[in-house]
Each structure stands twice: as structure tokens, then as C-alpha cells.
Amino acid sequence: MNDFSGAALGARFVNIGERTNVTGSAKFKKLILAGDYDAAVTVARDQVEAGAQIIDVNMDEALLDGEQAMATFLKRLAAEPDIARVPVMIDSSKWSVIEAGLKCVSGKPIVNSISMKEGQELFLKAARKVRAYGAAVVVMAFDETGQADTKQRKVDICERAYKLLVADGFPPEDIIFDPNVFAIATGIDEHRRYAIDFIEATREIRARCPHVHVSGGLSNLSFSFRGNEPVRRAMHSVFLFHAIPAGMDMGIVNAGQLDVYDEIDPELREACEDVIFDRRDDATERLITLAERYRGTDAAEEKKAAEWRGWPVGQRLSHALVKGIDAHIVEDTEEARQAFARPIEVIEGPLMDGMNVVGDLFGSGKMFLPQVVKSARVMKRAVAHLIPFIEAEKEKSGLTQGKGRVVMATVKGDVHDIGKNIVGVVLQCNGFEVIDLGVMVAWQDILQAANDNKADMIGLSGLITPSLDEMVTVAEEMQRAQMTLPLLIGGATTSKVHTALRIDPAYKGPVIHVLDASRAVGVASSLVSDTQRTPLIAATAEDYDKIRVSRERSGHSELSTLAEARANGLAFDPSGKPPPPQFPGLHHFGDWPLKDLKASIDWTPFFRAWELAGTYPAILDDPVVGESARSLFDDAQAMLDQIIAERWVTPKATVGLWRCRREGDDVLVLAGNDWTRLPFLRQQVKKREGRPNLSLADFIDPDGEDWIGGFAVGIHGMEPHLERFKQTIDDYDDILFKALGDRLAESFAEVLHAHVRNKLWDYADEHFSNAELIREKYQGIRPAPGYPACPDHSLKPILFEMLGGAPGEVSLTENYAMLPTSAVSGFYFAHRDSSYFGVARIGEDQLEEYAGRRGVDIDVAKRWLRPNLD
């Protein structure tokens, strides 16, 4: 490939083509995944012919071997003279992929990118590697506290990086600063100055840092108007018209999709300048209104839309509900209201007809949960339009007088509600009124709401194990109040066995465990049916009696004594012990790049959250759920891109790496100046010969000093967006956003663990694909309190204290649930033999001994370890 050099910038502005980027081009990703490098090379050629002066190449895709794909593609480009005449920008979040590319290019390439997010020592180390290959480098405006958003932060970070690099011998003309182009016209006040701050910072950076270049990704700027290409082109053209004179001399932009400034419609040009320079308070609203004039659809879509839009209004309403189309629902509902004698008849007629079809299709397995939630969004918006007219007649909606009324709540101390929300939506789609009390709801409020609303049943949800005891408390209080209405139990931590053994005996009324949303409709419908209620209650009671009798007769798997289990612990192998960390102590990360997290998402649990069975990516082609999965995945990708471009959320984390020593099944940790005791549990179920009874303490050296780690990550800033979805009656986007938040938190935990293994602790030199990371091919584990190897949630306050009190700005509820809800915490063990396992059932001897080690009453220990005692 050709050189990047000062001479390459003889032109005033250098276009960087980004269509050879698997994260930015669906077409290119599809070609690379299929191994069609001939067609992929054509994409690069088309970019060069369209005016790209640098080719950006990115292979950060979970299903790819990034190193191999980068090397293969760059070698193919080098053999094409018409492409090799332009420099290449090697773009990756993984150094191993960057280095694989650097080894394959001639001339002077560009590395995209490095930053000071991990501190200046690691920053300079990466810069020296880049310089050793003779490459130029993109430096992101990012430091230890996060991404630069204001003008001053952009200037300060870039000037600091410049001084460090130049003092270390890096040629200033080989430095390309990217001060972060963020989305504007989003409706969020904090985003209003993003464009002008970039332009002003660029001017200052060029003045303070001689000989450097300034670049940026232009597509982020107009992300709020995706799908409206005329407006996006105008925004980009206007922005460059002002940013280039300020010193922006490079940018990732499609040269063929820019307009001549003077040829842009003057009204549109002025509206774009208003939002870019934040010239008026209503600039965003004015551009949104104007943009509708430029929005076009293809002819096929127009024809298809015209067909159903020509149907009678009742058919249009039913069609919209079944298909989940909300674009015209308010106007169609109003047209129907004018056609019916009373507004209630619109609900009882075409709207309920459509929802009955949805319910039938869902019940028969021909429609899946994501589609049902979209239908519910349409129904709610239609009803919301009608309610003022119904209230004006002083009548209640027929919807609220439907099959029955359900009070639902996530119990006290628990903050997770995705599953509860899904069940609520599905019940509403089937004619039930749902009163959702939210999360962390005390038993008094649950019972009060049930009485006040004359509820037909109560539904409880919970994710963490302490919620099991809260559900028992609710059942006991319902019994004390002599209530008789059914109690439905659901949530990831619950089970039919626990419901039969612990909750059902506490309440004489009906108690029914509901496995998932698809079962909730049948259970709730039976409970309000004159003919089906009694048989369901009787059958459930008989089933639970059988479970209790069976448990009494069969007993449990045989337990070893605690002494026997310890004697059969894992023998410690000193050769598998990791070295001391390169960077011990606490490390705080204030704003990890969301782009890094997108590439590391494990999508299989995302589909399970929506009750779609299958493994990603095979689920996308599944003959039964594939169509629904693909539609859901497309929606998730679109929202994820918006989350990243508009910076909806901020990932924050804290990592600690400490000296430790082992004492029996305890690990003593030197966090700060004091020793902290971490008590771990041990498996007691008898094992066959050769299988040890494991404890996490087994992975720590019993005879000498060792090291242990801890972490907490949180995805912050979700609340304003969730409130927006609530205000717009959008359950679908609410649930989608929460599910993506959980995936981002888990991805952050995975990415951070890799950072610890390869840099902070530095005991590994890995080159894993994302698929291999998901399969945990690496050395080391990160067990979390409350999960099988470490089932006691009450260890979280100890871990958090070691990490500084509020690690990653994550806090704990009284029952040890984490806030924000999209958060992960745990320990790091690095021994070669460390592995995940389940403690399972423990004996009274370990329970008593553990209570003593923790310094608590036996009843408190029982509450903490309830699932391991039943």
C-alpha cells in the first residue's frame, strides 16, 4: 500500500473510505463472513474510484478470526495496483488484529486507534509499538476518566497526549487526533453543543499542537436522521464547510454522498447550521419538521403500503395490530371513533378483534413474543387516544373491564423487571388489566394495591436468590390478612420445586409457579374462568403435594461431612499459579467506549430473554423462529447503533488486584492497608473417586502469597430513555433497551476481564475470537456472588468495600441487588486450574461453621443460603 505522509495532505481534506469495515457495512461483513474476498476487494476499489484517499479496514466481528481476516484482505489489496496506490488505515479495538495488519502492509499505514483511557504508561507503550512499525496513529480524545465531550476536555486531552508522544520521540506529523464527533439534534440538551465544540476544539488543537492532523467519523453527527439521506448529506456538507477551515483535514466520509454547500436548499442549509452552531432553542424541532419533506420511500414499499391503507378502517386497525404497525394508529383510531356511536365500541370492536387474532397466533405458536410486544404497543397507543373521549362520557374503558385485573411487582430489594414487563404486556394483549407496581416493592404496598384495585390475582417476580424469602414473606402476610386471591410466582430465581416447598405452605390461597410469559396467559385465563379455575387450583395443589412427598421419600444426594469434603479438595498445583500483576491496586474506568462492547456481545441470552429458543447465529435461520429472530435482531442492531452514536449510556467500572493468602476455605485479601476475609463455601455432595469437592479457595496458594482480583461494571444513564419510552407508551423499545443494557453489561465484564488478563495482571497473551471468549477458552474465571460457585449474595458488600465503596458507581439494595440494573460484579481467579462449578447443597455442619466465620446468627446464614439448604 502507499504511504500516509504530510504529502498525502496536499489536498485540503482527505476522505477516508469506511465501507471496508465489518462494523459499519452490512454488505462488507456478509462478504467477509462468506469468505468472498474477490467481492470484498471490489468494495475497496469502488471506494477509491469514488474519491477515497485512505481505506479504513476493520475486521472486529465476533464470528471472524480477526487476525486472519485482516491479513488475508490486506494481502489481497496489496496485489491490486489501483487500490494499493492509497494508504490503509488498520482499524481495530484489538492490538493483535492491528499487529496482524501491520505485518502485511508496505509503505506507511495508519493505526486506528490508541488512547489514554488505560493511563499514560500503556498509551506510550502502544505508541512505541506503532512507531516501531513506522506507522502513523489515530489518537482518540479519551483519558482515564472517559471520552471527551466538551471543547475544553477535547483540547486538554489532545494537548496532553501530544506532549507525551513528542517527548517520547513520536513524529508530530504522524499524529492524527480524533476529538470525537457525536450526534446532534437528538432532543437531549447535553448534545446541543457537540458539533460546535468539535469545530472550536479542532481550531485550538491545531494551534497548540503543531504539525498534527485532525479527523472524525462524520456519520455519527447525523445519526438522529438515519434513513433520511438528503438531510444527512446536507448536515455532513455544512459541517465540513465550517470544520475544514478550522483545521479538520481528514474524515471518515463517503465522498459521493456530499453536497456542494452553495447548492443545498437554503432553508435546509440554514436549519442545519442552526443545529450545528446551536443558534436557537427550537433548532432541533425545526430541523425535524423540515426533514419530513425530504424523507422518501421506495416504490415497492409505497405500493404495499397503499394496498392496506385503502382498506376499511376496521380492517386497517386489525391489520396494524397483527403486524405491529403503529405509524398510522392514532389517525385510524380517530377515524374509527368518528364512525362508531361511542368510543368504547372501537375498543370492543376492531381493536379487540385484532388482539384476539394476536392472542390466538401466540397461543398456537405461530407468533412469537417480540411480535406480540409490538402489537401491544399499537394497542396501547390506540387506547390512549380513546381514553379522554371515554372519560368524557364518564364511562370506563371496556379494556379495563376485561378478563380480570392483575397486580404485579418485583419484590423488595430486587430491581430486575424485564420478565415481569413481558408477562404484563402479554396479559394486556389478552384482555387483562395489569397494575404494575414496578421494582423493589414492599409486601405492604403489594397487598394495599391488591385491595385498592380489587385485584383478581397477584403476580410476584424476582431475579436474585434473596427474593425467594421476600416472596415467602408476601405469602405469609397474605395469609395473615386472610386473603384468598391467587398468588402467581415467576422470575429467573424461582422454580416449581421451591414454590411447592417454601411458598405454597405459607399461604392457604392458590399459589402457582408460572414458568414464562407463554404460560401466564393460560394460567391467568383459567383463574378467572368459572369452569377452569377449580380444576387448575386442584391440579396444582395435587402436583405440589406430590413434589413435597417425593422430596421426603427420596431424600437428597448423600453429603460428605465438611471435614471429608475439605480432605477431598482440589490439590493446589504451584506450576499453574499466575505471576504478580503488572499493575496492582485499584483501577477506575469512567467511560469505556461502547463500540468496543458491541463487538463482544453474546447474543444467545438476548434471544432467550425474548423467549426465542436457539443459539446465535443459527437462530437467525431457524425454520420456526428465524423470521421473528431476524426482525428482533435488526431492531436490536438499529437501537444499539443509536445508543452508541448518541451516547445514551455510559459504561463505568472499577477493578482491584490485591495480594492475598489462604486460610482454610477463607481467602484473606490485603485491600488497602487492612486484611479482608472472604469466606467461600465448599461442595459437600459425595463425589466419585478422583473428583474433588471444590471451593473457590482451592485456586489460591495454601502455602504462600498469591493474588486475587475483583471488579464491578455498570451501564449508567438508561433512566431518561426508559422514561421516554414510558411516556410514548412503547413497551417494545423499553424491553429491547433493557435487554441490550444487560447484554452491554455482560459484554463489558468480558472485555474488562480480557483487559485484566492481558494488560493489568498481564498473565496471558491471547488471540481469541469473540466466539472463543464466549466459550471461555481463556485461563481464569470471574465468579459472581449469588451464582453457583459463590452462592452468597451477601459477599457483595465486602467486595464493594474492597473496591472502594461504590465501584463503577454501582450501588447495592438492601437485598444485594445492584443499581443500575445492568451491572455485573465478581472476583478474578487466575490459576490455570480455576474453573466454574456449583456448590449445590450443603450440610448443617458447613452452615453452622459458615455462620461462625461470617459472625452472624444461624438464621441469618440460612436466609443467605436458602437455595443451598432446601
Side-chain angles (χ1 to χ4, degrees):
M1 304 297 288
N2 203 347
D3 282 351
F4 163 79
S5 64
L9 288 169
R12 197 175 181 194
F13 184 80
V14 173
N15 295 317
I16 303 170
E18 67 166 348
R19 305 319 293 168
T20 48
N21 182 326
V22 296
T23 69
S25 169
K27 174 185 176 182
F28 184 72
K29 180 171 78 169
K30 185 176 181 179
L31 294 174
I32 295 295
L33 286 172
D36 190 353
Y37 284 94
D38 289 336
V41 167
T42 300
V43 173
R45 181 178 292 107
D46 291 344
Q47 285 193 106
V48 174
E49 291 175 354
Q53 294 146 296
I54 295 173
I55 297 293
D56 178 275
V57 181
N58 182 298
M59 297 292 180
D60 285 359
E61 157 59 38
L63 300 177
L64 277 178
D65 181 334
E67 292 92 337
Q68 181 183 28
M70 179 67 78
T72 302
F73 185 62
L74 291 182
K75 288 175 182 176
R76 294 293 299 270
L77 293 187
E80 303 287 336
D82 52 342
I83 304 174
R85 63 187 174 84
V86 302
V88 66
M89 178 178 282
I90 304 170
D91 183 354
S92 179
S93 59
K94 302 175 184 177
W95 173 256
S96 61
V97 177
I98 290 173
E99 192 162 32
L102 288 171
K103 292 175 181 178
C104 297
V105 294
S106 57
K108 190 181 194 72
I110 306 168
V111 168
N112 185 13
S113 61
I114 63 173
S115 75
M116 294 186 294
K117 71 181 182 184
E118 297 157 5
Q120 65 184 45
E121 187 171 349
L122 292 177
F123 170 66
L124 289 173
K125 182 179 177 182
R128 290 172 193 137
K129 289 181 179 179
V130 171
R131 193 169 79 237
Y133 280 98
V137 69
V138 175
V139 178
M140 301 298 296
F142 207 121
D143 66 5
E144 299 88 342
T145 60
Q147 221 167 352
D149 50 4
T150 65
K151 171 190 172 182
Q152 196 58 49
R153 284 266 295 147
K154 295 175 193 290
V155 173
D156 290 347
I157 292 174
C158 291
E159 185 176 28
R160 177 187 167 203
Y162 177 82
K163 290 177 178 178
L164 287 170
L165 290 172
V166 172
D168 200 53
F170 204 99
E173 64 271 16
D174 286 350
I175 300 171
I176 304 164
F177 283 118
D178 186 336
N180 307 319
V181 176
F182 296 131
I184 59 172
T186 65
I188 299 174
D189 282 345
E190 289 82 355
H191 299 176
R192 286 173 53 168
R193 283 192 54 86
Y194 277 167
I196 192 172
D197 277 353
F198 181 95
I199 293 170
E200 292 179 352
T202 296
R203 187 177 287 112
E204 191 75 15
I205 290 165
R206 293 298 295 265
R208 295 193 189 189
C209 307
H211 309 296
V212 303
H213 309 290
V214 174
S215 180
L218 210 58
S219 61
N220 285 348
L221 181 82
S222 62
F223 197 84
S224 294
F225 294 89
R226 64 199 182 284
N228 193 330
E229 288 309 309
V231 172
R232 297 194 77 177
R233 284 201 312 270
M235 290 179 72
H236 297 166
S237 303
V238 171
F239 179 78
L240 287 178
F241 181 80
H242 296 284
I244 290 172
M248 181 181 180
D249 50 11
M250 303 175 67
I252 297 176
V253 58
N254 188 333
Q257 293 183 347
L258 290 176
D259 297 325
V260 176
Y261 178 82
D262 288 335
E263 295 178 0
I264 301 171
D265 179 343
E267 186 180 10
L268 177 58
R269 186 175 63 215
E270 181 184 15
C272 290
E273 289 187 326
D274 283 344
V275 295
I276 287 170
F277 291 104
D278 191 24
R279 294 195 299 208
R280 47 192 298 165
D281 288 340
D282 63 345
T284 294
E285 290 76 12
R286 290 179 73 248
L287 182 57
I288 289 171
T289 301
L290 182 62
E292 286 306 308
R293 287 195 221 158
Y294 296 88
R295 186 182 299 279
T297 58
D298 62 56
E301 284 299 313
E302 287 182 350
K303 181 180 179 183
K304 184 178 177 182
E307 289 177 357
W308 81 272
R309 295 304 302 152
W311 296 348
V313 67
Q315 286 180 255
R316 296 203 305 270
L317 286 173
S318 293
H319 178 79
L321 286 164
V322 174
K323 297 297 183 182
I325 303 169
D326 64 353
H328 311 280
I329 192 61
V330 173
E331 61 188 79
D332 284 353
T333 302
E334 175 58 20
E335 182 181 338
R337 186 184 72 82
Q338 299 285 350
F340 283 83
R342 299 168 58 212
I344 189 67
E345 294 175 14
V346 182
I347 295 176
E348 294 173 341
L351 289 177
M352 285 313 300
D353 288 344
M355 291 314 293
N356 287 336
V357 173
V358 171
D360 291 343
L361 290 172
F362 182 57
S364 63
K366 296 177 182 177
M367 193 174 190
F368 300 99
L369 190 59
Q371 298 157 298
V372 172
V373 178
K374 284 184 178 179
S375 297
R377 174 172 61 186
V378 178
M379 181 68 169
K380 286 186 174 183
R381 287 178 175 171
V383 171
H385 176 73
L386 293 170
I387 281 177
F389 300 102
I390 294 172
E391 289 179 344
E393 292 185 344
K394 297 185 177 181
E395 291 186 30
K396 291 185 177 179
S397 162
L399 187 68
T400 61
Q401 294 175 340
K403 288 187 178 179
R405 190 171 290 136
V406 186
V407 166
M408 299 180 66
T410 299
V411 295
K412 186 177 73 171
D414 200 325
V415 297
H416 296 271
D417 66 352
I418 294 180
K420 171 177 65 66
N421 290 356
I422 288 174
V423 170
V425 168
V426 173
L427 288 174
Q428 287 172 317
C429 287
N430 284 270
F432 286 88
E433 181 189 0
V434 175
I435 295 97
D436 190 340
L437 303 181
V439 301
M440 293 200 293
V441 186
W443 66 263
Q444 297 96 327
D445 297 329
I446 295 171
L447 271 59
Q448 183 70 43
N451 288 327
D452 291 348
N453 290 281
K454 297 181 173 57
D456 295 292
M457 62 198 81
I458 293 174
L460 303 181
S461 178
L463 180 71
I464 58 175
T465 50
S467 298
L468 297 175
D469 275 346
E470 285 297 331
M471 292 178 178
V472 173
T473 298
V474 175
E476 290 172 342
E477 295 302 329
M478 289 176 69
Q479 181 59 36
R480 195 188 314 275
Q482 297 184 333
M483 300 176 81
T484 59
L485 70 166
L487 175 62
L488 309 184
I489 303 296
T493 193
T494 64
S495 68
K496 185 165 76 168
V497 171
H498 181 271
T499 302
L501 296 178
R502 295 279 302 150
I503 303 176
D504 185 55
Y507 178 52
K508 291 183 179 179
V511 179
I512 302 176
H513 179 256
V514 181
L515 185 63
D516 55 35
S518 63
R519 314 288 177 87
V521 175
V523 170
S525 297
S526 295
L527 289 173
V528 295
S529 166
D530 291 337
T531 58
Q532 298 175 13
R533 174 186 171 93
T534 300
L536 173 65
I537 292 172
T540 303
E542 182 181 355
D543 190 18
Y544 289 175
D545 282 339
K546 288 179 180 178
I547 290 173
R548 288 187 286 266
V549 171
S550 175
R551 298 279 287 199
E552 290 173 3
R553 288 178 178 171
S554 63
H556 297 288
S557 52
E558 187 178 0
L559 295 182
S560 303
T561 66
L562 181 57
E564 290 170 342
R566 284 175 173 163
N568 190 44
L570 179 71
F572 187 84
D573 182 355
S575 68
K577 183 176 173 179
Q582 288 288 330
F583 302 97
L586 292 180
H587 305 269
H588 303 284
F589 303 93
D591 189 358
W592 197 282
L594 285 165
K595 178 182 171 185
D596 287 2
L597 306 187
K598 178 183 177 182
S600 299
I601 286 177
D602 179 2
W603 286 102
T604 297
F606 170 81
F607 290 106
R608 288 178 185 158
W610 287 90
E611 297 184 9
L612 294 177
T615 302
Y616 176 81
I619 191 173
L620 300 179
D621 297 314
D622 185 272
V624 178
V625 302
E627 182 180 354
S628 183
R630 287 192 299 274
S631 176
L632 175 64
F633 189 62
D634 289 343
D635 290 344
Q637 292 294 310
M639 180 177 281
L640 192 55
D641 287 342
Q642 189 171 10
I643 289 169
I644 294 169
E646 298 179 5
R647 303 182 72 214
W648 284 13
V649 296
T650 303
K652 299 181 180 182
T654 299
V655 167
L657 300 171
W658 310 287
R659 298 178 187 273
C660 68
R661 68 173 191 268
R662 177 179 167 185
E663 285 188 1
D665 288 348
D666 292 347
V667 177
L668 296 179
V669 182
L670 185 58
N673 298 318
D674 300 316
W675 289 92
T676 299
R677 183 176 297 274
L678 290 175
F680 293 114
L681 294 164
R682 182 174 294 280
Q683 295 174 322
Q684 279 190 262
V685 174
K686 279 189 177 292
K687 301 293 187 77
R688 65 175 184 266
E689 189 173 350
R691 298 287 298 277
N693 288 84
L694 293 172
S695 168
L696 289 174
D698 291 346
F699 306 136
I700 301 297
D701 192 343
D703 300 319
E705 183 179 85
D706 208 335
W707 290 83
I708 195 172
F711 74 95
V713 306
I715 305 298
H716 296 267
M718 295 182 68
E719 292 77 11
H721 304 285
L722 293 172
E723 180 60 29
R724 186 172 77 248
F725 297 143
K726 181 179 179 182
Q727 293 300 321
T728 55
I729 319 174
D730 196 338
D731 290 306
Y732 182 74
D733 279 356
D734 177 275
I735 294 168
L736 186 62
F737 187 37
K738 288 174 180 175
L740 286 174
D742 286 352
R743 288 300 90 216
L744 286 171
E746 293 291 348
S747 175
F748 194 7
E750 188 72 82
V751 169
L752 193 64
H753 194 190
H755 179 65
V756 168
R757 296 192 304 272
N758 292 278
K759 293 185 178 178
L760 297 183
W761 201 326
D762 196 23
Y763 66 80
D765 182 18
E766 301 171 348
H767 303 281
F768 292 124
S769 67
N770 192 51
E772 289 171 320
L773 290 175
I774 290 171
R775 294 196 299 270
E776 297 164 354
K777 296 291 187 180
Y778 48 79
Q779 175 179 321
I781 59 173
R782 55 173 192 277
Y787 286 81
C790 182
D792 186 0
H793 280 274
S794 75
L795 288 184
K796 285 179 194 167
I798 301 174
L799 170 63
F800 276 41
E801 187 63 30
M802 291 164 55
L803 289 167
E809 297 184 23
V810 178
S811 60
L812 297 173
T813 70
E814 58 190 294
N815 281 352
Y816 316 119
M818 290 178 286
L819 289 170
T821 55
S822 294
V824 182
S825 64
F827 302 102
Y828 291 133
F829 290 83
H831 191 280
R832 184 187 58 218
D833 296 337
S834 59
S835 61
Y836 294 103
F837 60 91
V839 168
R841 196 166 61 90
I842 64 172
E844 286 289 332
D845 54 351
Q846 184 165 195
L847 174 67
E848 293 175 6
E849 203 247 17
Y850 185 78
R853 287 155 62 197
R854 293 296 307 274
V856 298
D857 293 335
I858 192 75
D859 288 339
V860 173
K862 282 183 178 179
R863 190 166 68 247
W864 288 345
L865 302 175
R866 179 75 62 198
N868 299 87
L869 303 174
D870 288 336

